[in-house]
Amino acid sequence: MPRSHTAFLNRADAPTRPALQQAIDGLKFKLTLDDAYVPLKTSGYLPCTLDGEDAGFDIRFQDVDAQSPSPALQSHIGGKDVAIVFRWSGDVRELASAMIVSAALARNFGAMVYDPDSDIVYNAEQLIEKARAAVESL
């Protein structure tokens, strides 16, 4: 069963691949983004390498308006105008990869990460803990 969450961010803050990779490296995870990542354009499966093994997740950039956020969620989003939808399967490597990239976006680029299934807004530290738990379970 696929899982998902959405990171909301300002278009101007969407990181280049080198900037996002540097933010991931700063979190001390052994995750490498594929060169296919292009901010605001990548759509579909994004391969990654996690601790030397294949990993990845589905990523799609959308305008916030396409998400139709509820009024309560809109108050958290503020003026952010880009939604980055992350999807992953039951594979723990996919989960870890999505959490690591989301944590990097939250910590370094001002993203607000929302889980629609649990109606929770996560901060960077919570996402880092989820990523650590996933990596440790491998």
Side-chain angles (χ1 to χ4, degrees):
M1 169 186 240
R3 307 279 189 248
S4 69
H5 65 227
T6 303
F8 295 93
L9 148 104
N10 292 318
R11 185 174 305 280
D13 295 332
T16 62
R17 189 204 166 279
L20 184 53
Q21 186 64 58
Q22 184 176 8
I24 291 166
D25 294 346
L27 296 176
K28 307 293 185 209
F29 288 103
K30 294 178 183 177
L31 180 77
T32 303
L33 290 176
D34 190 83
D35 290 336
Y37 171 82
V38 178
L40 306 173
K41 293 184 181 179
T42 299
S43 182
Y45 187 76
L46 177 63
C48 298
T49 304
L50 179 62
D51 202 19
E53 299 205 18
D54 291 341
F57 52 89
D58 189 83
I59 184 172
R60 298 183 190 276
F61 290 85
Q62 302 175 342
D63 288 331
V64 166
D65 294 341
Q67 287 286 307
S68 302
S70 68
L73 181 57
Q74 190 67 43
S75 70
H76 287 289
I77 295 171
K80 294 174 177 25
D81 54 357
V82 171
I84 308 170
V85 179
F86 290 80
R87 289 194 177 96
W88 58 92
S89 71
D91 184 330
V92 177
R93 291 185 186 289
E94 290 186 15
L95 167 65
S97 298
M99 292 299 153
I100 293 166
V101 173
S102 297
L105 290 169
R107 178 177 270 178
N108 295 85
F109 304 100
M112 188 278 297
V113 179
Y114 174 70
D115 179 346
D117 293 331
S118 59
D119 195 32
I120 294 174
V121 175
Y122 290 107
N123 64 36
E125 297 311 312
Q126 291 167 314
L127 293 164
I128 291 167
E129 286 306 313
K130 286 182 161 294
R132 275 194 192 119
V135 169
E136 288 171 4
S137 74
L138 292 172

PDB file of all heavy atoms in Angstrom, residues 41-59:
ATOM      1  N   LYS A  41      10.702  20.234 -11.779  1.00  0.00           N
ATOM      2  CA  LYS A  41      10.433  19.501 -13.019  1.00  0.00           C
ATOM      3  C   LYS A  41      10.352  17.992 -12.839  1.00  0.00           C
ATOM      4  O   LYS A  41       9.642  17.333 -13.587  1.00  0.00           O
ATOM      5  CB  LYS A  41      11.498  19.833 -14.059  1.00  0.00           C
ATOM      6  CG  LYS A  41      11.435  21.272 -14.514  1.00  0.00           C
ATOM      7  CD  LYS A  41      12.431  21.548 -15.597  1.00  0.00           C
ATOM      8  CE  LYS A  41      12.319  23.017 -15.986  1.00  0.00           C
ATOM      9  NZ  LYS A  41      13.256  23.403 -17.000  1.00  0.00           N
ATOM     10  N   THR A  42      11.102  17.440 -11.909  1.00  0.00           N
ATOM     11  CA  THR A  42      11.114  15.999 -11.735  1.00  0.00           C
ATOM     12  C   THR A  42       9.700  15.514 -11.439  1.00  0.00           C
ATOM     13  O   THR A  42       8.993  16.084 -10.620  1.00  0.00           O
ATOM     14  CB  THR A  42      12.062  15.596 -10.586  1.00  0.00           C
ATOM     15  OG1 THR A  42      13.373  16.027 -10.916  1.00  0.00           O
ATOM     16  CG2 THR A  42      12.061  14.101 -10.359  1.00  0.00           C
ATOM     17  N   SER A  43       9.320  14.443 -12.116  1.00  0.00           N
ATOM     18  CA  SER A  43       7.984  13.886 -11.917  1.00  0.00           C
ATOM     19  C   SER A  43       8.049  12.384 -12.150  1.00  0.00           C
ATOM     20  O   SER A  43       8.382  11.932 -13.244  1.00  0.00           O
ATOM     21  CB  SER A  43       6.994  14.530 -12.892  1.00  0.00           C
ATOM     22  OG  SER A  43       5.694  14.035 -12.669  1.00  0.00           O
ATOM     23  N   GLY A  44       7.786  11.638 -11.106  1.00  0.00           N
ATOM     24  CA  GLY A  44       7.832  10.187 -11.201  1.00  0.00           C
ATOM     25  C   GLY A  44       8.856   9.620 -10.237  1.00  0.00           C
ATOM     26  O   GLY A  44       9.249  10.263  -9.270  1.00  0.00           O
ATOM     27  N   TYR A  45       9.286   8.413 -10.521  1.00  0.00           N
ATOM     28  CA  TYR A  45      10.213   7.727  -9.627  1.00  0.00           C
ATOM     29  C   TYR A  45      11.579   8.386  -9.670  1.00  0.00           C
ATOM     30  O   TYR A  45      12.147   8.603 -10.749  1.00  0.00           O
ATOM     31  CB  TYR A  45      10.323   6.251 -10.000  1.00  0.00           C
ATOM     32  CG  TYR A  45      11.139   5.467  -9.010  1.00  0.00           C
ATOM     33  CD1 TYR A  45      10.609   5.112  -7.777  1.00  0.00           C
ATOM     34  CD2 TYR A  45      12.447   5.112  -9.284  1.00  0.00           C
ATOM     35  CE1 TYR A  45      11.359   4.404  -6.849  1.00  0.00           C
ATOM     36  CE2 TYR A  45      13.206   4.401  -8.375  1.00  0.00           C
ATOM     37  CZ  TYR A  45      12.652   4.055  -7.155  1.00  0.00           C
ATOM     38  OH  TYR A  45      13.403   3.365  -6.241  1.00  0.00           O
ATOM     39  N   LEU A  46      12.105   8.727  -8.498  1.00  0.00           N
ATOM     40  CA  LEU A  46      13.437   9.314  -8.377  1.00  0.00           C
ATOM     41  C   LEU A  46      14.357   8.277  -7.737  1.00  0.00           C
ATOM     42  O   LEU A  46      14.238   7.995  -6.542  1.00  0.00           O
ATOM     43  CB  LEU A  46      13.401  10.578  -7.527  1.00  0.00           C
ATOM     44  CG  LEU A  46      14.749  11.248  -7.276  1.00  0.00           C
ATOM     45  CD1 LEU A  46      15.369  11.738  -8.587  1.00  0.00           C
ATOM     46  CD2 LEU A  46      14.607  12.398  -6.294  1.00  0.00           C
ATOM     47  N   PRO A  47      15.255   7.694  -8.507  1.00  0.00           N
ATOM     48  CA  PRO A  47      16.183   6.732  -7.928  1.00  0.00           C
ATOM     49  C   PRO A  47      17.135   7.416  -6.941  1.00  0.00           C
ATOM     50  O   PRO A  47      17.511   8.567  -7.123  1.00  0.00           O
ATOM     51  CB  PRO A  47      16.965   6.199  -9.131  1.00  0.00           C
ATOM     52  CG  PRO A  47      16.235   6.652 -10.332  1.00  0.00           C
ATOM     53  CD  PRO A  47      15.462   7.874  -9.935  1.00  0.00           C
ATOM     54  N   CYS A  48      17.492   6.673  -5.921  1.00  0.00           N
ATOM     55  CA  CYS A  48      18.477   7.107  -4.932  1.00  0.00           C
ATOM     56  C   CYS A  48      19.328   5.898  -4.573  1.00  0.00           C
ATOM     57  O   CYS A  48      18.966   4.763  -4.875  1.00  0.00           O
ATOM     58  CB  CYS A  48      17.789   7.609  -3.659  1.00  0.00           C
ATOM     59  SG  CYS A  48      16.714   9.027  -3.869  1.00  0.00           S
ATOM     60  N   THR A  49      20.425   6.167  -3.916  1.00  0.00           N
ATOM     61  CA  THR A  49      21.244   5.100  -3.359  1.00  0.00           C
ATOM     62  C   THR A  49      21.320   5.333  -1.864  1.00  0.00           C
ATOM     63  O   THR A  49      21.710   6.413  -1.422  1.00  0.00           O
ATOM     64  CB  THR A  49      22.662   5.106  -3.976  1.00  0.00           C
ATOM     65  OG1 THR A  49      22.536   5.015  -5.392  1.00  0.00           O
ATOM     66  CG2 THR A  49      23.487   3.942  -3.457  1.00  0.00           C
ATOM     67  N   LEU A  50      20.915   4.341  -1.087  1.00  0.00           N
ATOM     68  CA  LEU A  50      20.929   4.426   0.365  1.00  0.00           C
ATOM     69  C   LEU A  50      21.911   3.402   0.899  1.00  0.00           C
ATOM     70  O   LEU A  50      21.697   2.196   0.738  1.00  0.00           O
ATOM     71  CB  LEU A  50      19.526   4.185   0.935  1.00  0.00           C
ATOM     72  CG  LEU A  50      19.399   4.217   2.455  1.00  0.00           C
ATOM     73  CD1 LEU A  50      19.774   5.592   3.010  1.00  0.00           C
ATOM     74  CD2 LEU A  50      17.978   3.851   2.875  1.00  0.00           C
ATOM     75  N   ASP A  51      22.985   3.882   1.469  1.00  0.00           N
ATOM     76  CA  ASP A  51      24.025   3.024   2.034  1.00  0.00           C
ATOM     77  C   ASP A  51      24.480   1.969   1.019  1.00  0.00           C
ATOM     78  O   ASP A  51      24.603   0.792   1.338  1.00  0.00           O
ATOM     79  CB  ASP A  51      23.517   2.375   3.323  1.00  0.00           C
ATOM     80  CG  ASP A  51      24.658   1.915   4.217  1.00  0.00           C
ATOM     81  OD1 ASP A  51      25.800   2.388   4.063  1.00  0.00           O
ATOM     82  OD2 ASP A  51      24.404   1.044   5.084  1.00  0.00           O
ATOM     83  N   GLY A  52      24.669   2.420  -0.231  1.00  0.00           N
ATOM     84  CA  GLY A  52      25.191   1.551  -1.272  1.00  0.00           C
ATOM     85  C   GLY A  52      24.164   0.691  -1.994  1.00  0.00           C
ATOM     86  O   GLY A  52      24.519  -0.054  -2.903  1.00  0.00           O
ATOM     87  N   GLU A  53      22.890   0.774  -1.609  1.00  0.00           N
ATOM     88  CA  GLU A  53      21.864  -0.049  -2.241  1.00  0.00           C
ATOM     89  C   GLU A  53      20.800   0.811  -2.896  1.00  0.00           C
ATOM     90  O   GLU A  53      20.559   1.951  -2.485  1.00  0.00           O
ATOM     91  CB  GLU A  53      21.237  -0.971  -1.198  1.00  0.00           C
ATOM     92  CG  GLU A  53      22.263  -1.910  -0.601  1.00  0.00           C
ATOM     93  CD  GLU A  53      21.649  -3.173  -0.072  1.00  0.00           C
ATOM     94  OE1 GLU A  53      20.517  -3.503  -0.438  1.00  0.00           O
ATOM     95  OE2 GLU A  53      22.327  -3.819   0.730  1.00  0.00           O
ATOM     96  N   ASP A  54      20.149   0.246  -3.902  1.00  0.00           N
ATOM     97  CA  ASP A  54      19.094   0.969  -4.608  1.00  0.00           C
ATOM     98  C   ASP A  54      17.955   1.334  -3.675  1.00  0.00           C
ATOM     99  O   ASP A  54      17.526   0.530  -2.836  1.00  0.00           O
ATOM    100  CB  ASP A  54      18.537   0.120  -5.761  1.00  0.00           C
ATOM    101  CG  ASP A  54      19.525  -0.056  -6.896  1.00  0.00           C
ATOM    102  OD1 ASP A  54      20.479   0.734  -6.982  1.00  0.00           O
ATOM    103  OD2 ASP A  54      19.327  -0.982  -7.698  1.00  0.00           O
ATOM    104  N   ALA A  55      17.472   2.543  -3.833  1.00  0.00           N
ATOM    105  CA  ALA A  55      16.336   3.050  -3.077  1.00  0.00           C
ATOM    106  C   ALA A  55      15.693   4.127  -3.945  1.00  0.00           C
ATOM    107  O   ALA A  55      16.126   4.366  -5.069  1.00  0.00           O
ATOM    108  CB  ALA A  55      16.787   3.633  -1.728  1.00  0.00           C
ATOM    109  N   GLY A  56      14.706   4.801  -3.433  1.00  0.00           N
ATOM    110  CA  GLY A  56      14.069   5.877  -4.170  1.00  0.00           C
ATOM    111  C   GLY A  56      12.619   6.017  -3.786  1.00  0.00           C
ATOM    112  O   GLY A  56      12.122   5.320  -2.890  1.00  0.00           O
ATOM    113  N   PHE A  57      11.923   6.910  -4.457  1.00  0.00           N
ATOM    114  CA  PHE A  57      10.520   7.194  -4.166  1.00  0.00           C
ATOM    115  C   PHE A  57       9.947   7.980  -5.330  1.00  0.00           C
ATOM    116  O   PHE A  57      10.676   8.447  -6.205  1.00  0.00           O
ATOM    117  CB  PHE A  57      10.381   7.989  -2.859  1.00  0.00           C
ATOM    118  CG  PHE A  57      11.245   9.214  -2.818  1.00  0.00           C
ATOM    119  CD1 PHE A  57      10.790  10.429  -3.303  1.00  0.00           C
ATOM    120  CD2 PHE A  57      12.543   9.142  -2.329  1.00  0.00           C
ATOM    121  CE1 PHE A  57      11.614  11.546  -3.299  1.00  0.00           C
ATOM    122  CE2 PHE A  57      13.367  10.262  -2.322  1.00  0.00           C
ATOM    123  CZ  PHE A  57      12.899  11.470  -2.808  1.00  0.00           C
ATOM    124  N   ASP A  58       8.644   8.127  -5.334  1.00  0.00           N
ATOM    125  CA  ASP A  58       7.964   8.921  -6.355  1.00  0.00           C
ATOM    126  C   ASP A  58       7.870  10.361  -5.857  1.00  0.00           C
ATOM    127  O   ASP A  58       7.513  10.587  -4.690  1.00  0.00           O
ATOM    128  CB  ASP A  58       6.561   8.348  -6.598  1.00  0.00           C
ATOM    129  CG  ASP A  58       5.885   8.984  -7.781  1.00  0.00           C
ATOM    130  OD1 ASP A  58       6.159   8.547  -8.911  1.00  0.00           O
ATOM    131  OD2 ASP A  58       5.087   9.927  -7.584  1.00  0.00           O
ATOM    132  N   ILE A  59       8.188  11.301  -6.723  1.00  0.00           N
ATOM    133  CA  ILE A  59       8.144  12.716  -6.358  1.00  0.00           C
ATOM    134  C   ILE A  59       7.484  13.499  -7.488  1.00  0.00           C
ATOM    135  O   ILE A  59       7.744  13.235  -8.661  1.00  0.00           O
ATOM    136  CB  ILE A  59       9.560  13.258  -6.056  1.00  0.00           C
ATOM    137  CG1 ILE A  59       9.533  14.711  -5.575  1.00  0.00           C
ATOM    138  CG2 ILE A  59      10.465  13.102  -7.251  1.00  0.00           C
ATOM    139  CD1 ILE A  59      10.885  15.224  -5.085  1.00  0.00           C
TER     140      ILE A  59
END
